[in-house]
Amino acid sequence: MTENYTCSRDRHLFGPGPKRILSLDGGGVRGALSIAFLERVEQVLQEVQGREVRLCEYFDLIGGTSTGAIIAAGLASGFSASEIRAFYQELAPKVFRSSLFHLPGWHANFDGEALHSELDRVFGGCTLGSERLKTGLCMILKRIDTGSCWVVLNNPRSIFWETPSDNSFVGNSYLSLPDIIRASTAAPFYFDPQTIEIVKGMEPGLFLDGGLTPHNNPSLALLLSALLPPYHLEWKTGEKDLFILSIGTGSHRPKLTTREAKRAPAILLAINALAAQMSDNQDLTLTLMSWLGEACLQWPINSELGDLKGLKRPFESLFRYHRCDIKLEQQWLEQHVGVVLQEEDVARLRLMEAPENIPLLFQYGKIVAERQISHALFENAA
């Protein structure tokens, strides 16, 4: 018996056939790199299928962390990658502008209200349960008043979807989309935490950037959401049945010399340690995804593991996996982008709060996307 689905979201989440996941990393304005990759994906899909394609039509689940949550919500709402680029170029200078009245170390550097206003302009009135979301959408948040990681998905079969009769919590379907996105982007030092009402009449939940969880690269969280029975999706596994495209925002390994560490204030050491922790989480996710799935493009993980190419697993590959990214390192950029930069120039490109970097990041992203995203990738995809 064929089940009738009342909206495109449910057809994507629960319908039969192979499934496709799009995963988008966090990284502030370096999301411009992701958008360059996404424009290339749209172009290739249109050439392969011979028609205009929106990514919400092709992918059954689109998920993101922080800046990736903004892009994911836009794509799931039906915007094209080029439309999101225009929004992004307009958004960044408005948001990453320091207030004259903030005190460094006491106040966030940037105005979270300005970000929320821009999100309201685009997504205002939209809840997680809105049918404006044309496919599956997942965003990663860190709730600090309970210490928990929130993987928020517009899945109507979730146990938290509807508000229960005892009103013990507000159902996810009623949560404001701008609030969720703003929460996922609330990076400490950059923006103040975001509050979200969880129980009517009670103290709201307090949320920080999803990059403070293990899922700044959310591909593993999305995979688990698609496969683990408690999430009530239970998609079929196998290289022909599940395809995951993971897109980064530029990676590098944070470093600090002994001399620098001795001279640095405690707050700088803490920030550097947090950046290193996020980098380690990225490496762990890449390791697991490369091991569990069949990678189309091999990425070296470290000097001991290499890129896991040709690895013999004690199980069949659970999915087909493609990771697109750029390494923000001198040697890599020279070899793969053809640019020779000084170390201080590369360091500036790594900044997450510099809107002036967007044109250059997008330019480099376009160059690399031409090489990393081919027609064969989608001709053979699930």
Side-chain angles (χ1 to χ4, degrees), residues 50 74 110 127 163 194 197 237 302 380:
F110 307 109
T127 64
T163 303
Q194 173 67 31
E197 184 180 53
T237 60
N302 57 41
N380 300 325

Side-chain angles (χ1 to χ4, degrees), residues 270-296:
I271 292 172
N272 191 270
L274 180 59
Q277 173 87 50
M278 292 175 66
S279 177
D280 290 343
N281 289 341
Q282 299 268 98
D283 287 345
L284 177 59
T285 296
L286 181 61
T287 303
L288 290 172
M289 297 299 289
S290 300
W291 182 54
L292 296 171
E294 186 61 37
C296 308

